[in-house]
């Protein structure tokens, strides 16, 4: 009986392998054929960037494209989000693919002909607006994936949900948005998503390559506010007051011991940063209060909880020891959980990336202390988030302008590889369930 059963299993496995090779070749051909269209979409988005929750022109272009492909399209999700649903001709899982849509309040300095000249008001100041993090590239690539997979609709073993998300870079105080809001509004339901893939282009990773990571991949982030209250006095008589500036300096120094003494650095990195301190307005007046703003980053829920606890302990007790008080608010205005790449899914899909780009062009890199609100999706369903190289060949990774820089630059030859990867991840995952 065992020998008899081995024959059909082997035959089926061989058929699936041949089928996968065939559709990968088809995907590659179609991606290469629309490369100039992808570049044109990207350049248009780049020249007309919009900040989070204001991606109205962007969303309209995306929705029109998805509708032209015959998809069921939903708009206005989490303010400006767009979702396209592609139902395949055969039963199978629901695979979600996500791209961000928003730009940053950055004034562009790149010399490209399609550089952004857009300006807007942000936090009361006139600023430039720029796609300085590659979201223009992500949208163009996902639009191409939608076009390719739509052309294969009858052969799809399942459903693809294309999620175009607003406000990944955050929102202004008082607003809501981003992945968290999309999840609250049910973007992972109807139909219920089984797995989600995301991709981010990076300016200091060589073009033609991917980097992935299993487990905690990008950091949880909490911003924080610490208000230290002392007693104002003349600068010539500090003994008559309680100096909140000195207390704040002690708090800042003591906070650094959290990473050096409380975090197991052999397992996970963590960050405690004070990015702003405001107090006083004259050289000879000791102020009554000082405000500090900062960020906490960790790669696990346990470390995140510990960071918050220790910051509150250190700030309040240090202030108390000096006769002052400290009020700690965490999170102050924003919080993203750690982005967790499902280990089983990461292992399962690694061969797909190797077959798409070549095994030598895939690396399992370290975790990053930057944050990404894709984490809200990956909290709910198994997720895999990968990094696509966008650095031109011959460039130096140590000197290129990083994401969020006014000089951020991406090699557009990376786009077709990104398109192929997202298509193949989708099709291979569906094929694994079809078996």
């Amino acid at each position: 009986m065992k020998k008899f059963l081995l024959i059909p299993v082997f035959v089926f496995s061989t058929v699936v392998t041949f089928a996968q090779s065939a559709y990968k070749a088809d995907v590659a051909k179609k991606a290469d054929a629309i490369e100039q269209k992808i570049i044109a979409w990207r350049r248009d988005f780049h020249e007309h960037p919009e900040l989070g929750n204001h991606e109205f022109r962007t969303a309209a272009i995306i929705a029109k494209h998805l509708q032209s492909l015959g998809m069921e399209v939903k708009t206005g999700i989490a303010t400006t989000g767009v979702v396209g649903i592609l139902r395949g001709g055969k039963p199978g899982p629901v695979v979600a693919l996500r791209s961000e849509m928003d730009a940053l309040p950055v004034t562009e300095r790149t010399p490209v002909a399609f550089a952004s000249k857009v300006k807007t008001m942000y936090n009361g100041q006139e600023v430039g607006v720029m796609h300085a993090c590659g979201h223009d590239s992500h949208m163009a690539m996902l639009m191409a994936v939608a076009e390719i997979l739509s052309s294969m609709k009858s052969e799809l073993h399942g459903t693809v949900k294309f999620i175009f998300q607003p406000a990944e870079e955050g929102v202004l105080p008082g607003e809501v948005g981003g992945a968290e809001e999309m999840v609250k509004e049910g973007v992972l339901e109807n139909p219920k998503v089984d797995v989600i893939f995301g991709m981010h282009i990076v300016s200091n990773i060589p073009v033609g390559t991917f980097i992935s990571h299993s487990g905690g991949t990008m950091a949880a982030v909490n911003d924080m506010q610490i208000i230290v209250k002392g007693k104002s006095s003349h600068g010539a008589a500090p003994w008559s007051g309680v100096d909140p500036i000195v207390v704040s300096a002690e708090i800042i120094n003591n906070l650094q011991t959290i990473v050096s003494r409380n975090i197991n650095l052999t397992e996970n990195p963590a960050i405690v940063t004070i990015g702003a301190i405001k107090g006083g307005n004259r050289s000879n007046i000791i102020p009554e209060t000082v405000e500090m703003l900062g960020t906490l980053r960790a790669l696990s829920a346990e470390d995140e909880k510990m960071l918050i606890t220790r910051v509150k302990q250190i700030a309040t007790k240090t202030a108390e020891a000096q006769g002052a008080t400290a009020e700690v608010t965490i999170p102050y205005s924003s919080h993203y959980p750690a982005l967790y790449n499902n280990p089983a899914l990461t292992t399962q899909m690694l061969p797909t990336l190797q077959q798409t780009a070549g095994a030598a062009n895939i690396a399992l890199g370290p975790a990053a202390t930057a944050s990404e609100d894709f984490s809200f999706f990956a909290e709910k369903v198994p997720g895999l988030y990968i990094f696509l190289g966008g650095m031109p060949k011959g460039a130096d990774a140590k000197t290129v302008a990083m994401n969020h820089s006014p000089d951020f630059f991406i090699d557009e030859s990376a786009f077709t590889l990104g398109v192929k990867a997202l298509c193949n991840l989708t099709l291979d995952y569906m094929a694994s369930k079809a078996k």
Side-chain angles (χ1 to χ4, degrees):
M1 179 64 74
K2 289 182 180 178
K3 291 182 179 179
F4 177 77
L5 288 175
L6 282 173
I7 295 173
V9 169
F10 172 76
V11 171
F12 183 80
S13 176
T14 302
V15 170
V16 170
T17 301
F18 284 156
Q20 289 174 333
S21 298
Y23 65 61
K24 283 186 174 65
D26 191 26
V27 164
K29 182 179 179 180
K30 291 179 177 181
D32 291 339
I34 62 171
E35 179 179 20
Q36 291 308 310
K37 185 185 289 189
I38 301 168
I39 292 172
W41 282 330
R42 182 261 171 156
R43 292 184 177 186
D44 179 68
F45 288 138
H46 192 90
E47 195 169 358
H48 302 93
E50 296 171 301
L51 295 178
N53 283 351
H54 296 271
E55 308 94 331
F56 300 109
R57 177 186 183 275
T58 302
I61 292 171
I62 291 168
K64 183 177 180 181
H65 176 65
L66 298 181
Q67 288 163 351
S68 75
L69 299 174
M71 291 189 198
E72 174 187 341
V73 178
K74 300 178 182 180
T75 61
I77 303 172
T79 307
T80 56
V82 180
V83 173
I85 300 174
L86 174 63
R87 301 183 190 274
K90 301 176 182 180
V94 178
V95 177
L97 304 174
R98 174 271 205 164
S99 168
E100 322 91 311
M101 302 193 301
D102 56 325
L104 285 160
V106 172
T107 301
E108 184 160 7
R109 286 199 303 240
T110 63
V112 297
F114 51 93
S116 168
K117 297 179 177 60
V118 175
K119 294 186 180 296
T120 191
M121 296 300 295
Y122 184 82
N123 276 342
Q125 296 181 340
E126 185 180 61
V127 295
V129 184
M130 177 189 177
H131 271 297
C133 201
H135 297 182
D136 51 345
S137 306
H138 302 167
M139 289 184 286
M141 287 187 283
L142 193 54
M143 287 169 68
V145 173
E147 186 165 320
I148 291 171
L149 293 182
S150 292
S151 72
M152 307 167 71
K153 178 179 178 178
S154 63
E155 299 303 313
L156 291 182
H157 287 271
T159 297
V160 188
K161 185 175 280 191
F162 298 90
I163 299 174
F164 290 86
Q165 176 207 313
E168 186 277 326
E169 300 289 358
V171 296
L172 290 170
E175 295 184 5
V176 295
E180 182 177 21
E181 190 64 19
M182 292 195 95
V183 170
K184 288 179 180 178
E185 294 188 15
V187 75
L188 298 178
E189 307 295 331
N190 302 316
K192 184 175 178 59
V193 171
D194 294 294
V195 67
I196 187 166
F197 297 113
M199 183 173 66
H200 204 301
I201 198 163
V202 183
S203 64
N204 68 338
I205 297 175
V207 71
T209 64
F210 287 104
I211 289 180
S212 185
H213 184 85
S214 183
T217 299
M218 299 186 75
V221 59
N222 286 275
D223 67 348
M224 62 180 173
Q225 180 196 57
I226 303 174
I227 296 179
V228 178
K229 294 184 178 180
K231 180 181 177 183
S232 182
S233 65
H234 197 295
W239 52 85
S240 63
V242 176
D243 191 340
I245 293 179
V246 172
V247 175
S248 297
E250 289 194 27
I251 290 173
I252 292 171
N253 283 334
N254 291 343
L255 290 179
Q256 304 314 304
T257 64
I258 298 174
V259 173
S260 65
R261 293 297 178 267
N262 300 137
I263 291 289
N264 184 344
L265 296 179
T266 65
E267 296 178 356
N268 284 327
I271 300 290
V272 178
T273 292
I274 297 297
I277 179 168
K278 304 172 186 177
N281 57 16
R282 186 178 167 95
S283 62
N284 64 348
I285 300 175
I286 293 174
E288 186 172 61
T289 64
V290 168
E291 178 193 39
M292 291 182 280
L293 300 175
T295 184
L296 304 177
R297 295 170 187 261
L299 284 160
S300 71
E302 295 77 13
D303 283 348
E304 180 184 10
K305 182 178 180 181
M306 187 271 287
L307 287 182
I308 294 171
T309 299
R310 290 294 289 138
V311 166
K312 289 180 177 180
Q313 288 175 339
I314 288 172
T316 56
K317 298 303 182 182
T318 301
E320 182 181 344
Q322 299 297 328
T325 62
E327 299 174 359
V328 182
T329 303
I330 305 173
Y332 175 53
S333 65
S334 66
H335 165 251
Y336 292 176
L339 194 163
Y340 186 79
N341 272 349
N342 182 278
L345 182 64
T346 304
T347 299
Q348 177 187 346
M349 305 316 300
L350 181 59
T352 299
L353 295 176
Q354 293 172 332
Q355 292 160 15
T356 302
N361 295 316
I362 309 300
L364 295 176
T369 50
S371 61
E372 232 288 353
D373 74 351
F374 183 86
S375 55
F376 287 104
F377 299 125
E379 268 192 326
K380 302 298 183 183
V381 299
L384 174 60
Y385 193 78
I386 58 176
F387 300 94
L388 170 66
M391 182 178 73
K393 293 180 180 179
D396 185 349
K398 296 179 180 179
T399 59
V400 297
M402 291 292 293
N403 295 51
H404 288 219
S405 163
D407 304 302
F408 175 73
F409 178 82
I410 287 297
D411 186 335
E412 294 174 327
S413 68
F415 298 165
T416 55
L417 180 61
V419 170
K420 294 169 189 176
L422 289 176
C423 287
N424 291 339
L425 286 169
T426 302
L427 294 167
D428 279 0
Y429 183 82
M430 287 181 169
S432 73
K433 297 302 178 182
K435 287 192 285 187

